Every structure is written in structure tokens, then in C-alpha cells.
Amino acid sequence: MKRLLVLEDGTVFEGNGFGSERDSIGEIVFNTGMTGYQEILSDPSYCEQIVTLTYPLIGNYGINRDDFESITPFTGGLIVKEHSLFPSNWRSGYSLDEYLKMKDIPGLSGIDTRKLTRIIRSHGTLKGALISGNADPAEVLEKLKAIRLPVNQVERVSAKTPYASPGRGRRVVLVDFGMKHGILRELNKRHCDVVVVPHNTSAEAVLQLNPDGIMLSNGPGDPKDVPEGIEMIKGVLGKVPLFGICLGHQLFALACGADTEKMKFGHRGSNHPVKDLQSGKVAITSQNHGYTVREASLLHTDLEVTHLALNDRTIEGLKHNSLAAFTVQYHPEASPGPEDANGLFDEFMELIETKRKVGNR
């Protein structure tokens, strides 16, 4: 099945279609990880994005039942150099092609993914369309230039009602802006009594759950499109210890008076070096974000930069100078990938304990 990729700059790639036969329009992004395609496809932060994987062979270990980051994938499409038709792994339940058909996600293979990645790096993230090989690229290009991508991704991927993941330890309210299951797994591993709440839950409703700590999850899109989350963070800051990841980090910055901006092509991969400015140590991290906190906007806030990306010096971590709150732009819960930063969850537990001891005096 012939399939075309049309970019808004007029570039057209012709390759082989696999997975779903439907057409798809979305932002074209690239991920540099060598493994983890199952987690990438099921990561809600890729909502309606068409993901290009730079590693040349994808699908060789198949799809298994255990490594999903969400039950329902929201990815708009997948582009690879080559996809494996016959996976070989003892955990494999079905092939990549079978999974994409099952979840109605279109795929494209047989194109030069290095060339596509270089275009994105040169021009910045582009809109693109995966279409049938029989379609007219010129007609699609006009539609592509005129279309405005949706801004309600967080509303689409967030939980609709609260639910509990019971434990006998500290009560943590996890605000779901597009939560990866890895975050929930790390909290459960530490015996936390977790209550997951929707993205638009008010500060009053969060505090009524009597949490020991509040976790702000990752999620898709522009943080400025989530005003409910920003207002909620303003209402809970200083009352309960807070830890934010990725979109949660950006929302925390906005709630504290800082600003965010869209990056040229974002960070997506599992080998990004980040420096801890306090210890001087460098961690290799997993990342997936297209927005960043503007460093100049921190000048008149109570926020301090704790981590920096060594590749481009963008902000990767913040803490509040007087309140019990810290955030990181990268993913300490990542799997597969480096677990260098996994200890941040333990730091969150220690922050909760310190706050509880002070409160009991």
C-alpha cells in the first residue's frame, strides 16, 4: 500500500503504508531513542503528533502486554525507515503492524527518516499529513497550510473522573494532564496512597482529599492552553509539597510568574544529558517536550534553576526558594531508558516527610 507524507513546506515523501489505512494530519516530531517504540506510541504527550523514529529498524521485539504508558494511545501516526514484519521476543504478543491496525494509527515506512529529521531540525517542527498514495499532494498541501492544529489535547487525554490506586503510605494526589503510567508505578513502588484527579480539578477539591503531597504529571501541548491547571497550582502552593514533571514543570513555572515558549524542534529521546547545578553531576535522561521555560522570565520570581540541558542550555529543573515545591522538565520515571534520575521520587518522599515533621511540632 503506497502512502505519502506531505509537509507544509511542500516536501513530499513516498513510502509504504502499514497499520491503519486512515489519513492523518498533525505535527511532525522525531524521537532519537533506539528502543521504546511501544512506550512512545502509548505516551499521551504525543497526542495527535506524527512521530518519526530515527533508529532505522523498529518493531523487531514486537508489542507486549506490560510496557504501555496508557491504555488508549493518542499518537497521530508513526514514521520509520523499516518496520519488522516478524518480531522475535518471548514477551511479544503481536507485531507493530497488528498493534497499529488495532488502535487505528497509520504508519509509513521505506522513506529516508534521516532526511526528514534534518528538515525538521533546519526549519523547526512542521505540520504534515499522512495520506493515500492516490491522493493529490497539491490539494493536501493547501489544506495543510490553512488548518490550525487543535489546542485541547490535555482535555482529551486526561482522566474524566477521579480514581484511586490504594496504598498504605503517604497520600499523593496525582493531577493527570496526560499521565504516563510510569509515574503511577513509581509512586506505587513507594507504597503511596495515590488519588488520580482530572486536569481541571480545582485547588479546593485537591486539598479536600487531604494529600501529603501533590504530583503534577506530564502531558501534551502548550502549557498556556491549560489555565485551570495554572490556577489550581497557585491555590495549593505552600500548603502541600509539590513535584512536577514535564508539562507539570511548565505549568508550575507559569503559576509562579515565569513564561514559556515553543522550542524549534523540542527534545524527544532517551539520551539527553542534564546537569544538576547543586551537585555538579550529569544524568542521562529521557525527554519528550516541545516547550521550555524562558530563563529571562525567572528574574522577578521566587524560582531557582536547579538543572540545565547540556546540549542547548535550556532549563530542566526548578525549585521554589521558600516553598516546598520542585519540578523537572525530563522524565525520571522513564522506561525503557536511563534510570539516573529515578531518585527524584525519593526526594519527593523526603520533602513530604520533612513537611509533616515540621507540621507536627
Side-chain angles (χ1 to χ4, degrees):
M1 174 176 68
K2 188 171 75 169
R3 177 169 282 161
L4 303 178
L5 168 66
V6 181
L7 301 181
E8 64 176 310
D9 70 346
T11 304
V12 179
F13 290 86
E14 179 180 324
N16 303 311
F18 67 107
S20 170
E21 295 185 6
R22 73 175 176 91
D23 293 344
S24 179
I25 292 178
E27 191 176 51
I28 309 293
V29 299
F30 66 87
N31 185 296
T32 59
M34 296 175 66
T35 61
Y37 54 82
Q38 180 171 336
E39 291 86 343
I40 290 168
L41 285 167
S42 58
D43 181 351
S45 293
Y46 285 108
C47 179
E48 299 180 9
Q49 291 179 327
I50 299 173
V51 184
T52 302
L53 300 180
T54 61
Y55 191 71
L57 176 61
I58 300 297
N60 54 311
Y61 55 84
I63 301 288
N64 67 76
R65 69 171 194 176
D66 299 322
D67 291 341
F68 294 107
E69 290 290 358
S70 66
I71 295 174
T72 303
F74 297 93
T75 307
L78 181 69
I79 300 172
V80 300
K81 171 64 177 174
E82 178 184 356
H83 78 281
S84 176
L85 296 173
F86 305 103
S88 177
N89 186 280
W90 66 274
R91 292 199 304 157
S92 177
Y94 28 84
S95 70
L96 177 60
D97 181 49
E98 290 171 332
Y99 176 72
L100 295 186
K101 284 185 170 70
M102 188 188 312
K103 298 300 181 180
D104 197 28
I105 300 173
L108 173 67
S109 67
I111 72 163
D112 188 343
T113 51
R114 293 179 302 175
K115 179 180 178 181
L116 175 56
T117 301
R118 288 174 69 90
I119 291 173
I120 297 172
R121 285 180 59 89
S122 175
H123 295 281
T125 303
L126 297 164
K127 289 182 291 185
L130 289 176
I131 58 173
S132 165
N134 299 320
D136 182 357
E139 290 183 8
V140 174
L141 181 59
E142 290 304 311
K143 179 180 179 181
L144 197 57
K145 289 179 177 179
I147 198 169
R148 185 173 183 270
L149 296 178
V151 296
N152 64 339
Q153 290 102 323
V154 169
E155 180 182 350
R156 182 180 172 194
V157 302
S158 174
K160 301 301 181 282
T161 57
Y163 62 92
S165 180
R168 295 186 178 275
R170 307 165 184 90
R171 165 70 61 84
V172 174
V173 171
L174 173 50
V175 186
D176 180 9
F177 298 110
M179 174 195 72
K180 291 169 62 181
H181 284 174
I183 296 175
L184 187 58
R185 179 185 63 243
E186 292 300 329
L187 293 173
N188 289 156
K189 189 188 298 183
R190 290 158 177 83
H191 311 293
C192 292
D193 180 32
V194 183
V195 180
V196 181
V197 299
H199 75 285
N200 56 357
T201 304
S202 68
E204 292 75 17
V206 169
L207 294 173
Q208 284 172 4
L209 293 169
N210 195 26
D212 297 310
I214 296 171
M215 185 95 214
L216 308 176
S217 85
N218 64 292
D222 186 341
K224 293 176 182 176
D225 292 334
V226 197
E228 312 97 319
I230 297 169
E231 289 304 309
M232 179 276 297
I233 295 168
K234 290 179 180 178
V236 301
L237 266 176
K239 299 173 182 176
V240 183
L242 181 146
F243 177 27
I245 291 174
C246 201
L247 181 63
H249 159 85
Q250 298 161 9
L251 292 171
F252 169 72
L254 290 171
C256 293
D259 194 16
T260 57
E261 61 185 354
K262 189 173 178 64
M263 305 173 76
K264 186 175 181 180
F265 49 80
H267 295 172
R268 296 176 179 90
S270 55
N271 59 349
H272 291 257
V274 169
K275 184 175 182 179
D276 183 329
L277 298 183
Q278 182 175 358
S279 68
K281 293 182 178 179
V282 174
I284 303 302
T285 68
S286 177
Q287 304 200 9
N288 174 19
H289 60 276
Y291 290 80
T292 187
V293 176
R294 291 182 58 244
E295 186 172 10
S297 71
L298 299 174
L299 185 60
H300 300 295
T301 71
D302 290 318
L303 299 179
E304 177 184 338
V305 178
T306 58
H307 297 76
L308 281 178
L310 292 184
N311 288 337
D312 61 7
R313 308 296 292 178
T314 53
I315 293 173
E316 292 285 346
L318 294 169
K319 73 173 181 178
H320 199 284
N321 284 325
S322 59
L323 304 176
F326 72 100
T327 60
V328 291
Q329 180 65 82
Y330 52 92
H331 289 269
E333 83 290 350
S335 178
E339 298 183 351
D340 298 21
N342 194 258
L344 289 173
F345 287 95
D346 296 319
E347 290 185 26
F348 183 40
M349 298 297 104
E350 292 170 6
L351 189 64
I352 290 174
E353 282 304 302
T354 300
K355 182 75 172 178
R356 289 172 69 175
K357 290 175 182 177
V358 170
N360 291 333
R361 289 176 182 173

